[in-house]
Amino acid sequence: MPVSRKRKKARKPAPAKRVQNHIVSVPAPQPALIDELLTARSELDAGRRVAAAGPARDLVAGIAEFAPGRTGAEVEDELCVRLGPLLAEMEGRTGVEDYISADLFAEVLLGVVIEQATEGTLGHAVLAAVAGIVPWTPRLVEVPPQFPGGENLLADRPLAGEVLWTRDAYGSRVGVLAPFDAEGTVRWYLWDVDACTFKPFTVHSGFYANPEAALDAWRAGVGATTAAGAQWSPADIATIGDVVPQFEGPLRFGGEHAAQFAEYYRARRLAGTLLELDGSGVTTNPPVGRETAAREFADYLTGRGIVAADDVGDVAEALAESWGDAESDTFFATCSPHRVAAMTVHIREYYDDEFGPTVLTAMPAWVDWLGERLGTPAELIERCRPYAHGEWHPGLGTDQRRPDYQARLIE
């Protein structure tokens, strides 16, 4: 799982002397070396495509066998169910040559479908199912503008009503719900998004028969303590791009579970419809962002004796820079047990043995200050404090060296 690359790339580095992996001077790569590396990568991916072709054809053949007598929605759902364990197995391979990413497999699957559709050997139900879930993008494959059969299957699926959303009591767990037409019946697609760590992760997604069923499922995945009173309301379209999943290419974090891989393609394909909505004129500004937080928390620390006076500025900046998604401040002003626990792990790993403990010494004060700043109920902040003092959150898994950031964690 490519954890360190994504995490450290997205963050403004602390002073070099205080980061675990010290910054060193590296000679600029020579053009010949770059060409050599690109050629090697191209050859490696070519071999992976060949290896992925067999599983792709088997998947298409299995869905073709399943399809007769089924509705289009049933065929599409079955395709997603079968993709889950298949993608998880291929991405779980440890050999460099054996590893096949979900994005590369999408390219191969598209190639198989296009080839068989062009030859006239693929039924329309299977064609529509694959076309309905794979996120069409030129970064994956050059797709003909129209498949055989006279129906344009490349257009985004239109919405059948208003997009809704809800948030938990901490504000960092979001449910987004959108209605789509399925052969005359409206089905509601749910994205359950956890924004407590390095970026918003879609920890669960799928179709539901109605908003009530989707809300029940979302509440169950979040937990009664923080989601019991949540209700659907019109979504803030301007911030949808900070919530729903998108194609990330080489910078993808990775680490999805099989159930998440089942919806990996479809969640992104349907999210594309939401990303095209006009959110102009709507602005949602968080009550506090990184720069404001670093300055205000430094003032809060000053004179309290929690850290040495010379360290106050650096500690405040480190906590503000570490606090979640570095690409957007949409969810910066939130504080949950999950978030505190995840950031404690990150700080311990990222900073050196001298500065890291100093930053962690200030974590309880950071939680108290942020709770006061946001007006978070005292009983909710109280649930964060054990993790501010270093307690391990069981929702992050059992391996403290490799936290499970994709877990659907119940607070």
Side-chain angles (χ1 to χ4, degrees):
M1 182 175 70
V3 173
S4 297
R5 177 182 60 188
K6 173 70 175 174
R7 181 161 66 248
K8 293 183 180 178
K9 181 182 181 66
R11 290 182 142 60
K12 175 182 176 182
K17 66 180 181 178
R18 295 187 165 187
V19 175
Q20 290 280 12
N21 296 322
H22 296 283
I23 299 172
V24 296
S25 176
V26 180
Q30 299 301 310
L33 177 59
I34 294 176
D35 290 343
E36 183 179 339
L37 292 174
L38 290 175
T39 299
R41 174 60 184 269
S42 178
E43 292 175 351
L44 184 60
D45 281 348
R48 289 168 172 167
R49 289 187 182 92
V50 172
R57 291 193 180 94
D58 290 343
L59 176 63
V60 171
I63 295 300
E65 183 177 350
F66 172 85
R70 313 279 184 171
T71 66
E74 289 172 334
V75 175
E76 183 180 294
D77 290 346
E78 181 66 18
L79 174 61
C80 290
V81 168
R82 298 190 185 198
L83 275 167
L86 177 60
L87 295 179
E89 187 277 324
M90 290 190 295
E91 284 218 352
R93 297 173 184 175
T94 56
V96 174
E97 296 180 355
D98 297 328
Y99 170 84
I100 299 172
S101 72
D103 294 332
L104 185 142
F105 187 75
E107 177 185 336
V108 175
L109 181 61
L110 285 171
V112 168
V113 168
I114 292 169
E115 176 186 355
Q116 294 186 10
T118 303
E119 294 173 350
T121 59
L122 188 67
H124 182 271
V126 180
L127 174 62
V130 175
I133 69 165
V134 176
W136 302 111
T137 165
R139 286 170 290 189
L140 291 181
V141 69
E142 290 294 329
V143 183
Q146 192 165 315
F147 280 113
E151 182 180 356
N152 186 354
L153 296 174
L154 302 185
D156 286 335
R157 199 176 308 188
L159 289 168
E162 186 177 27
V163 180
L164 307 174
W165 77 348
T166 189
R167 296 173 75 164
D168 74 343
Y170 287 111
S172 54
R173 189 71 171 269
V174 185
V176 178
L177 189 67
F180 294 93
D181 180 79
E183 301 169 316
T185 300
V186 174
R187 297 209 299 169
W188 296 79
Y189 198 82
L190 169 69
W191 294 266
D192 178 359
V193 181
D194 190 330
C196 287
T197 55
F198 305 107
K199 51 167 286 185
F201 287 116
T202 300
V203 295
H204 169 75
S205 58
F207 272 116
Y208 289 86
N210 52 61
E212 293 75 24
L215 184 60
D216 287 344
W218 182 81
R219 285 173 174 166
V222 175
T225 300
T226 62
Q231 298 292 336
W232 295 121
S233 63
D236 179 357
I237 301 302
T239 63
I240 284 294
D242 293 333
V243 179
V244 295
Q246 302 179 46
F247 179 83
E248 298 173 283
L251 294 180
R252 178 171 147 252
F253 198 92
E256 289 87 355
H257 303 182
Q260 292 162 343
F261 272 126
E263 295 290 334
Y264 178 82
Y265 297 145
R266 185 158 63 176
R268 286 156 179 76
R269 175 65 188 278
L270 296 177
T273 299
L274 276 58
L275 296 173
E276 294 299 319
L277 297 176
D278 182 13
S280 61
V282 180
T283 57
T284 299
N285 296 317
V288 59
R290 274 169 181 72
E291 293 185 7
T292 304
R295 183 176 62 253
E296 291 187 8
F297 186 59
D299 292 341
Y300 181 86
L301 282 180
T302 300
R304 292 178 179 267
I306 298 172
V307 297
D310 290 345
D311 286 328
V312 164
D314 286 346
V315 166
E317 182 179 357
L319 281 165
E321 289 293 340
S322 297
W323 198 244
D325 182 12
E327 299 173 2
S328 171
D329 273 348
T330 298
F331 298 102
F332 181 87
T334 63
C335 183
S336 71
H338 182 197
R339 189 165 200 173
V340 175
M343 291 306 105
T344 299
V345 172
H346 163 69
I347 289 167
R348 186 180 297 117
E349 173 189 316
Y350 188 72
Y351 294 104
D352 65 24
D353 292 340
E354 178 182 354
F355 186 59
T358 301
V359 176
L360 291 176
T361 297
M363 180 65 83
W366 169 266
V367 169
D368 290 341
W369 168 78
L370 196 54
E372 293 173 10
R373 182 68 167 78
L374 302 177
T376 306
E379 60 271 20
L380 294 182
I381 290 299
E382 185 64 31
R383 299 176 70 248
C384 298
R385 289 198 176 99
Y387 309 108
H389 287 282
E391 184 174 319
W392 176 257
H393 199 305
L396 291 173
T398 57
D399 187 349
Q400 297 191 21
R401 296 168 300 175
R402 300 187 64 184
D404 183 2
Y405 294 115
Q406 297 273 17
R408 191 184 188 194
L409 191 150
I410 296 177
E411 291 282 20

